[in-house]
């Protein structure tokens, strides 16, 4: 919103803006842009299944509830045949498959902070917003994403309970095969930071002496493991240590829609600044075979 300023000046101008209706409108608009930019960075579910913005015109009314749904087509199966010059391939009347994703609301708490306290911060006020409302929203997004993933593997059975206590190439290969057998390909791996720590101490016999030496000195600097994108999270309440997830590329996985973008609302009453953030989203997996999980025998935390 204000570039090239120290935090104190930034916060003072932020507060002054809220003293007029026009300023509140501009601050809310700038806050919405800030929320969208940061949310795309911090929610791991958005890195696995990038969100798409849709409008009311893209959606349909539901016959089962009082909210909107987004109907998504699933690509029909097709086959090719080897035939002689007088032969003819069999007819296939294409019947389109589709699934409906209902929208639901995710909303932060309504936060309050006095003008005097906000002015006392020695970093930009947007950081206060980020530390409160944004983290709350993105935690719910990630929680719902894993909830749906658990439902998918409960149907497909693509879940391994491993006797291994840490992740290595052999365990990852077993995980990948659950997806590979269905003529799909793993696009990314999701794991807890504890499991990532175990990956860092693999012996040179597993990963080679040059890489083992490099990790010892500089850490693991790559964003992929075995050519698959690596996503690490510290949200142990959502992805506990010992749970390793594999997902296909988004095109083979599902959809994540945001209706009219994430909203940011702010107002000032006397010396109190009040704000909250909310969004209407729909997410789901059109191909439940595109998800797999390995659960390691991780010792209980000390």
């Amino acid at each position: 919103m204000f570039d090239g300023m120290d935090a104190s000046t930034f916060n003072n101008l932020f507060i002054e803006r809220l003293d007029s209706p026009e300023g509140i409108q501009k601050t809310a608009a700038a806050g919405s842009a800030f929320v969208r930019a940061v949310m795309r960075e911090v929610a791991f579910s958005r890195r696995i299944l990038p969100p798409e913005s849709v409008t009311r015109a893209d959606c349909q009314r539901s016959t089962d509830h009082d909210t909107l749904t987004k109907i998504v087509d699933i690509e029909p199966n097709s086959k090719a045949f080897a035939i002689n010059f007088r032969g003819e391939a069999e007819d296939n009347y294409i019947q389109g498959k589709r699934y409906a994703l209902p929208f639901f609301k995710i909303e932060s708490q309504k936060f309050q902070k006095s003008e005097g306290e906000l002015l006392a911060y020695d970093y930009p006020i947007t950081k206060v917003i980020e530390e409160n409302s944004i983290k709350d929203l993105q935690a719910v997004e990630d929680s719902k994403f894993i909830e749906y993933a658990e439902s998918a593997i409960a149907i497909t059975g693509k879940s391994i309970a491993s006797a291994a206590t840490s992740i290595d190439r052999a365990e990852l290969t077993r995980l990948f095969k659950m997806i590979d057998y269905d003529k799909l390909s793993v696009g990314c791996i999701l794991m807890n930071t504890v499991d990532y720590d175990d990956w860092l101490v693999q012996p040179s016999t597993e990963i080679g002496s040059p890489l083992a030496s490099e990790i010892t000195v500089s850490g693991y600097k790559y964003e992929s493991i075995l050519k698959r994108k690596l996503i690490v999270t510290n949200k142990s309440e959502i992805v506990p240590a010992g749970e390793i997830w594999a997902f296909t590329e988004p095109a083979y996985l599902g959809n994540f829609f945001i209706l009219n973008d994430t909203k940011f609302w702010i107002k000032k009453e006397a010396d109190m600044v009040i704000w909250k953030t909310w969004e209407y989203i729909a997410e789901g997996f059109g191909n439940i075979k595109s998800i797999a999980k390995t659960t390691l025998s991780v010792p209980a935390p000390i």
Side-chain angles (χ1 to χ4, degrees):
M1 281 178 279
F2 305 100
D3 296 325
M5 295 182 182
D6 59 67
S8 178
T9 304
F10 180 97
N11 292 345
N12 189 54
L13 289 173
F14 189 99
I15 296 297
E16 287 182 3
R17 262 193 175 185
L18 300 178
D19 288 326
S20 68
E22 181 184 2
I24 289 176
Q25 186 176 4
K26 288 181 178 179
T27 302
S32 292
F34 170 76
V35 167
R36 289 196 300 273
V38 177
M39 283 285 286
R40 289 196 177 99
E41 294 176 4
V42 296
F44 67 71
S45 55
R46 292 183 175 222
R47 297 180 61 195
I48 300 170
L49 193 58
E52 304 173 54
S53 292
V54 295
T55 65
R56 169 65 182 86
D58 301 312
C59 305
Q60 296 76 33
R61 289 186 299 167
S62 173
T63 58
D64 301 320
H65 47 78
D66 291 333
T67 57
L68 297 172
T69 62
K70 172 67 173 166
I71 297 176
V72 182
D73 290 314
I74 300 174
E75 183 178 321
N77 293 325
S78 62
K79 294 186 290 185
F81 299 86
I83 57 177
N84 59 37
F85 289 115
R86 293 184 180 182
E88 187 175 281
E90 66 181 43
D91 294 332
N92 179 23
Y93 186 82
I94 295 177
Q95 294 179 297
K97 296 180 180 180
R98 56 191 61 87
Y99 71 113
L101 294 175
F103 283 88
F104 59 93
K105 184 181 182 182
I106 298 179
E107 181 178 80
S108 72
Q109 293 177 306
K110 188 181 290 184
F111 296 98
Q112 298 186 84
K113 204 73 173 167
S114 72
E115 177 181 314
E117 290 176 340
L118 286 174
L119 290 174
Y121 278 92
D122 59 359
Y123 55 87
I125 293 173
T126 48
K127 285 294 181 183
V128 182
I129 297 169
E130 177 187 347
E131 290 172 1
N132 292 294
S133 52
I134 292 176
K135 288 183 179 179
D136 289 345
L137 259 67
Q138 64 97 10
V140 176
E141 283 186 4
D142 289 344
S143 178
K144 297 300 289 186
F145 182 88
I146 293 298
E147 178 186 325
Y148 297 154
E150 291 281 7
S151 298
I153 63 173
I155 297 171
T156 63
K158 291 191 175 187
S159 178
I160 295 175
S162 173
T165 58
S166 61
I167 193 66
D168 57 22
R169 288 190 302 168
E171 291 301 322
L172 286 176
T173 300
R174 291 179 65 201
L175 176 64
F176 296 163
K177 284 181 178 179
M178 286 192 282
I179 291 178
D180 292 342
Y181 277 133
D182 284 314
K183 298 181 180 179
L184 295 165
S185 180
V186 175
C188 73
I189 310 161
L190 172 66
M191 67 176 69
N192 187 280
T193 50
V194 172
D195 299 303
Y196 179 66
D197 291 340
D198 288 335
W199 175 259
L200 298 179
V201 295
Q202 289 188 90
S204 58
T205 52
E206 273 289 317
I207 60 175
S209 296
L211 181 56
S213 299
E214 180 182 331
I215 291 174
T216 301
V217 176
S218 306
Y220 191 83
K221 301 183 294 184
Y222 305 98
E223 296 181 356
S224 64
I225 291 178
L226 302 178
K227 292 174 62 175
R228 277 77 171 187
K229 182 169 70 173
L230 171 64
I231 300 175
V232 180
T233 179
N234 63 0
K235 298 172 188 170
S236 299
E237 72 281 7
I238 301 174
V239 180
E243 288 190 2
I244 315 296
W245 289 88
F247 301 91
T248 63
E249 295 289 347
Y252 305 96
L253 181 59
N255 300 91
F256 183 170
F257 298 110
I258 301 177
L259 184 62
N260 297 327
D261 280 329
T262 304
K263 304 291 185 181
F264 176 77
W265 169 87
I266 190 168
K267 73 172 183 177
K268 186 180 178 186
E269 289 184 351
D271 69 332
M272 297 299 296
V273 178
I274 308 165
W275 75 87
K276 72 174 183 177
T277 309
W278 73 94
E279 62 185 1
Y280 295 97
I281 71 169
E283 59 181 355
F285 303 120
N287 182 8
I288 58 175
K289 294 180 180 180
S290 60
I291 306 163
K293 181 179 80 167
T294 291
T295 303
L296 305 173
S297 299
V298 176
I302 299 173

